[in-house]
Structure formats: C-alpha cells, structure tokens
C-alpha cells in the first residue's frame, strides 16, 4: 500500500511538472494496478458482446471514464473496474458453452447486399502488377522512340556537314565548266575558278529534303540488319543514303552508304512520288562505300520502310509533282505479279511454313558460289516442284524481275516476286525480334539462345488446318538434323510462311511479342 501511495505521489508530481491534465482524460491509478492483476487471475469469465462501437470510443480521448456505466463479471462476484469493462465493451448472454461457461453472442452483421466487396490482398497485388507492367511497357516504347529520333538527328547533322563542307574551289564541276587549252599541269588557275558552281549547295537548298528509312533486301543477316536513312533533295532530284553504325556501347557514327547523285530506274530518274512505304530502290554495285559481298551482285535493292508523309505532301505541293506518275507498263506489271502471288499464297495455305523453309534450303544448296545467283532452268525446276508454278507464270515473273539478257537471277528476289512478302508493319516487328536474338549482327543465332528466349507455351503455337502445331523449334529441328546455329534465311522463311497463315497484322504481332517476350 505504501508503494502504491508512493507511485501515486510520483505520478502526481510528474504530472504537475508536465502541466494540468485535461478533464476528459481519466486518472492513471497505478496504486490499484496490482490488485487488478490479482482479480483477473482469480476470476474465470467470458465477456458477452455488446455495443460494437465501445472499443473505438474507449480507445479515443473524447469520452470521460465517468460517462461509461460499469459492467459486471459473469463468473465472478466482484465488479469490474470502469476502464477494463469499457475497453472490452461486452454484455451478458444466456448462452452457455460445452464446458459449462457462457458463450459470446455475435453482434448483428452489418453486411449489405448491394455494397461492393472490397479487394483481397491478392487481387490488389495482381492489379498493381498489371498497372506496373503497362507503365513499364509505355516507358520502354517512349525510350525506343526517343532513341530512334536521336539516331535520325545524328544522321541528319552528319549529312549536312558532309554536303556543306566541300569547298567550291574543290568542286569537280570547276574543271568540267572551264574547258580551255592548257597543259595538264595548269588545268585551272585561281582566275578561272568560279565563285559559285551551278550545283553548289547551300543550307537553304538542302533544307528542302525528304527523309526516309530503308533496309537492304538480302538473305544475309549482316546486310539485312543495317540501319539505313536516306534523303531526297527536291532542288536537283538527287538522293543519298547514310548508314547508322554503332562501334561498341559508347561510340556511334553516321557513314555514307550511297553517294549523293541522280539515280535511274527503267531509264528514268527517281522522283519524289517514287518514295513510299514498300517501294524498291535499285542501285549499281559500283559505289565506293559498298562492302565486297554486295559488290558481287549485279545490283543492290533497298526497300523503303518508313517515309515522313507530312513532309512529302508539303514538298509535292511545292514542286507541283503528281502523287502517282507510274507508266502504264509498270502498273500492268504490278497487277500481273499481284495475281500470281495471290494464286500461289492460296495454294500454300496450311503448309506455307514447311514449304518455304524447304524451298529456301534447296535453293541455297544449288547456289554453289554463294553469291545468290542461280540459272534460269534450275530456278524454274525448283519453283515448279515446290510451288507448282507453271511455265507461263514463271516466264512472266522472269520478264518483270530479271535483267535483260542475263542468264542468272537472284533467287531471293524471285522468291519474293512469286510468293509475295509480309507487310512492312510485320517486317518491323520481325526485325526487332531478330535484332534481339542477334545483337552483334553475325547473320546467325545459336540454337541455345533460341531455346532460351523462345516461349514454349502451347497457346502461342500456330495451329494449322491440318491440326499440327508448328512452333519455331519444331520446324527448324524437325528435319532430322539438329543445327548448332539458325541462319537468318531460315528465320525469315519461317515467319514469311507464318505471315501467309495469319490473316491479320494484330494477331501476327501478338504471336511474335508473346513468343519472344518483346
């Protein structure tokens, strides 16, 4: 008892030092704390439910202890103190448990039928994961778009520097215009040098240009993965193509690929209207910036993948050039090719993947010199056996695609002309997948990397009409010979066949995204 009085005196002294206690705050009675512990040990009771809000009001500072009525112990003979009963907030119940002790009556349910069910921790976590995934994909797409724009600006700056850095005094046209009788040593002097040549460029003239993206049509992965950006100048109808190259992680450069000049197709120079998505630009392989593998071919073909359409409309309006100015002969040739392609693709549906992979491997085995060229008769025989192409259609395609008087033909271009190609929208996602698998642009992908990145979910396999599942690994390794590397040609043939089987672009893109997790 003396210790209790001493504690109370100390608490009053410390409380006075802290300030006056508010009226609504109950007195802390430390002297009766020991007695309450003894009472709780001796009394065996089960409290009964009462007002559900008693616990909340007891835990708050808003109600004084005197405002709450005292409660009684059910199994004991003594009253419970005000503070303990207010914290418990239970009432008596006539029910008894199996042990002979009173049971607790549950409070009435406050559930309403129309009240929405709150999310469980699992569902809220799943929703948060989905939201984070969407945000991460959006940020990734924005980062990729920003990277492409930075590359484009770097190429534009380098192109402008290259075109404007050539001094007028060193312009080759100085010698062509000033033809006079002089020795070779004194061909031209400063007095015979023009201040401005007819084709000298200024920044204002170069600003009237159309920018486009292109890729090389090749069965070699190293050549097909090159990033090309071209420019067409309306002032003199010249064009140039640059290549964006990365040397390691921190070094990159824009190098000239096709020198600036006037280039012709079928006897006429290229025009602004010729540059559209899916158009082909053909160049001679005598250019100084081409690699040795490209110079082995008679010509180089570039496919336009993307064009700035807004700038093209403005430039067409300024130049007065019509949108479509193709000769009637070219229009008829395009109609002929589209008719042959539609017939062949309808014939291939259901077996397009196996047929194109087998045809590609057979043509590569015939190409002994590995330059991409095959004779006319061998090519006709292969296409007749694999694609059931008649002689009349073959001759029509040879006349349109082949060179006049040439006994050899690029078999890859012949395949594209006969079977058609996937759209540039599908080709863009295809090139993105291959760039992920072959970041160093070696032209082939190890089979271990394909097994690592390729998803094996059954729902992602393509189910053909015949009922077989033709996933990528099955088609590549199903010939009896398991290769160590998968070439770019096999990769392209598989997805060209898949493009024939899948009707919509959205479905095709989803298959590639889910299969390779891009």
């Amino acid at each position: 008892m003396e210790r209790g009085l001493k504690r109370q005196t100390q608490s009053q002294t410390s409380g006075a030092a802290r300030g006056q206690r508010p009226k609504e705050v109950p007195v802390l009675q430390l002297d009766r704390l020991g007695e309450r512990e003894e009472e709780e040990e001796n009394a065996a009771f089960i409290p009964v439910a009462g007002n559900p809000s008693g616990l909340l009001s007891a835990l708050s500072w808003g109600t004084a202890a005197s405002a709450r009525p005292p409660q009684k112990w059910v199994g004991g003979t003594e009253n419970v103190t005000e503070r303990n009963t207010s914290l418990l907030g239970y009432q008596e119940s006539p029910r008894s448990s199996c042990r002979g002790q009173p049971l607790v009556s549950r409070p009435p349910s406050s559930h309403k039928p129309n009240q929405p069910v709150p999310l469980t921790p699992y569902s809220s976590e799943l929703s948060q994961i989905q939201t984070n995934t969407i945000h991460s994909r959006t940020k990734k797409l924005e980062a990729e778009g920003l990277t492409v724009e930075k590359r484009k600006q770097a190429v534009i700056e380098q192109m402008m520097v290259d075109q404007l850095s050539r001094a007028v005094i060193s312009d080759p046209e100085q010698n062509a215009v000033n033809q006079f009788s002089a020795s070779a040593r004194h061909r031209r002097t400063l007095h015979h040098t023009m201040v401005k040549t007819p084709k000298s460029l200024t920044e204002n003239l170069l600003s009237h240009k159309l920018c486009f993206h292109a890729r090389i049509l090749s069965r070699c992965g190293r050549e097909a993965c090159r990033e090309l950006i071209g420019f067409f100048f309306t002032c003199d109808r010249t064009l140039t193509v640059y290549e964006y190259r990365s040397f390691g992680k921190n070094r990159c450069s824009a190098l000239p690929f096709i020198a600036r000049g006037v280039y012709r197709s079928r006897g006429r120079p290229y025009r602004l209207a010729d540059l559209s998505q899916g158009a082909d630009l053909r160049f001679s392989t005598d250019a100084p910036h081409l690699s040795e593998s490209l110079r082995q071919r008679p010509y180089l073909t570039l496919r336009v993948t993307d064009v700035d359409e807004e700038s093209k409309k403005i430039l067409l309006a300024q130049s007065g050039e019509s949108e479509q100015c193709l000769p009637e002969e070219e229009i008829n040739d395009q109609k002929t090719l589209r008719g042959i392609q539609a017939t062949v693709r309808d014939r291939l549906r259901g077996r397009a993947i196996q047929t194109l992979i087998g045809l590609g491997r057979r043509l590569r085995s015939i190409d002994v010199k590995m330059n991409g060229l095959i004779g006319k008769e061998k090519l006709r025989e292969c296409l007749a056996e694999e694609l059931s192409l008649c002689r009349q259609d073959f001759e029509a395609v040879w006349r349109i695609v082949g060179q006049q008087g040439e006994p050899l033909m690029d078999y890859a271009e012949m395949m594209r002309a006969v079977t058609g190609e996937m759209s540039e929208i599908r080709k863009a996602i295809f090139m993105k997948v291959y760039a992920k698998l072959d970041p160093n642009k070696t032209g082939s992908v190890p089979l271990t990397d394909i097994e690592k990145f390729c998803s094996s979910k059954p729902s992602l396999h393509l189910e053909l009409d015949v009922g077989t599942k033709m996933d990528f690994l099955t088609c590549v390794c199903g010939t009896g010979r398991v290769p160590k590397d998968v070439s770019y040609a096999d990769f392209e043939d598989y997805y060209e066949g898949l493009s024939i089987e899948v009707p919509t672009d959205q479905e095709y893109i989803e298959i590639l995204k889910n299969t390779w997790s891009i």
Side-chain angles (χ1 to χ4, degrees), residues 7-22 25-30 61:
R7 290 176 184 174
Q8 186 175 3
T9 306
Q10 290 177 357
S11 62
Q12 291 177 359
T13 306
S14 60
R18 287 193 299 267
Q20 188 176 2
R21 175 179 57 81
V25 178
V27 180
L28 183 60
Q29 299 177 357
L30 297 178
W61 291 96

Side-chain angles (χ1 to χ4, degrees), residues 3-216:
R3 288 186 298 175
L5 294 174
K6 187 176 181 180
R7 290 176 184 174
Q8 186 175 3
T9 306
Q10 290 177 357
S11 62
Q12 291 177 359
T13 306
S14 60
R18 287 193 299 267
Q20 188 176 2
R21 175 179 57 81
K23 295 180 179 181
E24 61 272 10
V25 178
V27 180
L28 183 60
Q29 299 177 357
L30 297 178
D31 54 336
R32 300 188 60 184
L33 184 59
E35 300 175 0
R36 292 175 185 172
E37 293 177 355
E38 295 176 358
E39 292 174 357
E40 292 174 358
E41 292 176 358
N42 297 329
F45 71 98
I46 296 178
V48 185
N51 186 10
S53 62
L55 182 61
L56 297 177
S57 61
L59 293 177
S60 64
W61 291 96
T63 306
S66 59
R68 295 186 293 272
Q71 303 291 336
K72 295 184 178 181
W73 296 97
V74 177
T77 57
E78 299 181 2
N79 295 338
V80 190
T81 57
E82 299 177 1
R83 190 163 181 270
N84 287 339
T85 55
S86 62
L87 288 174
L88 295 174
Y90 295 119
Q91 294 179 357
E92 294 181 357
S93 173
R95 291 174 143 182
S96 299
S97 64
C98 61
R99 297 179 181 179
Q101 296 178 351
L103 294 175
V104 180
S105 62
R106 296 182 180 180
S109 176
S110 60
H111 175 70
K112 298 180 181 180
N114 297 330
Q115 186 176 1
V117 180
L119 293 175
T120 61
Y122 175 76
S123 60
S124 61
E125 183 179 356
L126 182 60
S127 177
Q128 184 67 26
I129 292 175
Q130 293 176 351
T131 305
N132 295 338
T133 304
I134 294 174
H135 288 331
S136 62
R137 288 182 179 179
T138 305
K139 291 182 179 180
K140 187 176 181 180
L141 291 176
E142 293 177 354
E144 290 177 356
L146 184 61
T147 302
V148 172
E149 187 64 25
K150 286 183 178 180
R151 292 180 178 179
K152 180 180 176 181
Q153 292 300 324
V155 174
I156 291 176
E157 292 177 3
Q158 186 62 44
M159 182 273 300
M160 295 292 287
V161 170
D162 293 344
Q163 300 299 324
L164 296 175
S165 61
R166 189 178 66 178
V168 179
I169 194 172
S170 61
D171 195 335
E173 296 182 4
Q174 295 280 3
N175 296 329
V177 176
N178 294 284
Q179 297 291 342
F180 58 93
S181 57
S183 61
R185 182 179 180 182
H186 304 87
R187 174 66 66 181
R188 176 168 59 90
T189 63
L190 183 61
H191 298 284
H192 296 93
T193 301
M194 294 182 296
V195 178
K196 182 179 180 181
T197 59
K199 294 183 179 180
S200 60
L201 299 174
T202 61
E203 188 173 356
N204 186 23
L205 290 175
L206 292 178
S207 62
H208 301 283
K209 63 182 181 299
L210 177 65
C211 180
F212 61 92
H213 293 258
R215 59 182 176 88
I216 302 175

Side-chain angles (χ1 to χ4, degrees), residues 318-462:
Q318 292 176 355
S319 61
E321 186 178 339
S322 59
E323 181 70 24
Q324 188 62 257
C325 56
L326 292 178
E328 185 178 357
E329 182 182 0
E330 293 187 26
I331 296 176
N332 294 333
D333 290 344
Q334 291 181 0
K335 290 181 179 179
T336 302
L337 288 179
R338 284 196 293 266
I340 296 174
Q341 291 171 6
T343 303
V344 173
R345 292 170 78 90
D346 289 340
R347 194 182 300 135
L348 288 178
R349 280 191 174 87
R351 58 182 183 92
I353 297 177
Q354 308 96 308
T355 304
L356 291 185
I357 291 179
L359 176 61
R361 290 177 177 177
R362 181 176 177 180
L363 292 174
R364 288 198 300 274
S365 64
I366 298 176
D367 183 17
V368 181
K369 295 183 179 181
M370 301 182 65
N371 57 0
L373 302 177
I374 298 179
K376 181 177 180 180
E377 289 302 322
K378 291 184 178 180
L379 189 58
R380 186 191 64 80
E381 181 182 354
C382 290
L383 295 179
E385 293 179 1
E386 299 290 341
L387 304 180
S388 302
L389 187 68
C390 63
R391 180 180 290 272
Q392 182 180 358
D393 292 343
F394 176 81
E395 292 294 340
V397 176
W398 183 275
R399 176 185 59 82
I400 296 171
V401 180
Q403 297 289 321
Q404 296 294 334
E406 290 291 337
L408 302 177
M409 163 72 79
D410 186 353
Y411 68 86
E413 186 171 2
M414 193 69 177
M415 284 182 60
R416 290 191 295 267
V418 173
T419 61
E421 295 180 84
M422 67 178 79
S423 63
E424 290 303 319
I425 298 176
R426 301 188 181 193
K427 197 70 175 185
I429 193 70
F430 164 80
M431 295 301 297
K432 188 175 181 180
V433 169
Y434 187 80
K436 176 183 178 180
L437 300 176
D438 187 14
N440 297 326
K441 301 179 182 179
T442 59
S444 61
V445 183
L447 189 61
T448 54
D449 291 349
I450 291 180
E451 294 175 348
K452 174 182 176 182
F453 289 106
C454 183
S455 175
S456 58
K457 296 180 181 179
S459 60
L460 301 179
H461 296 166
L462 175 66

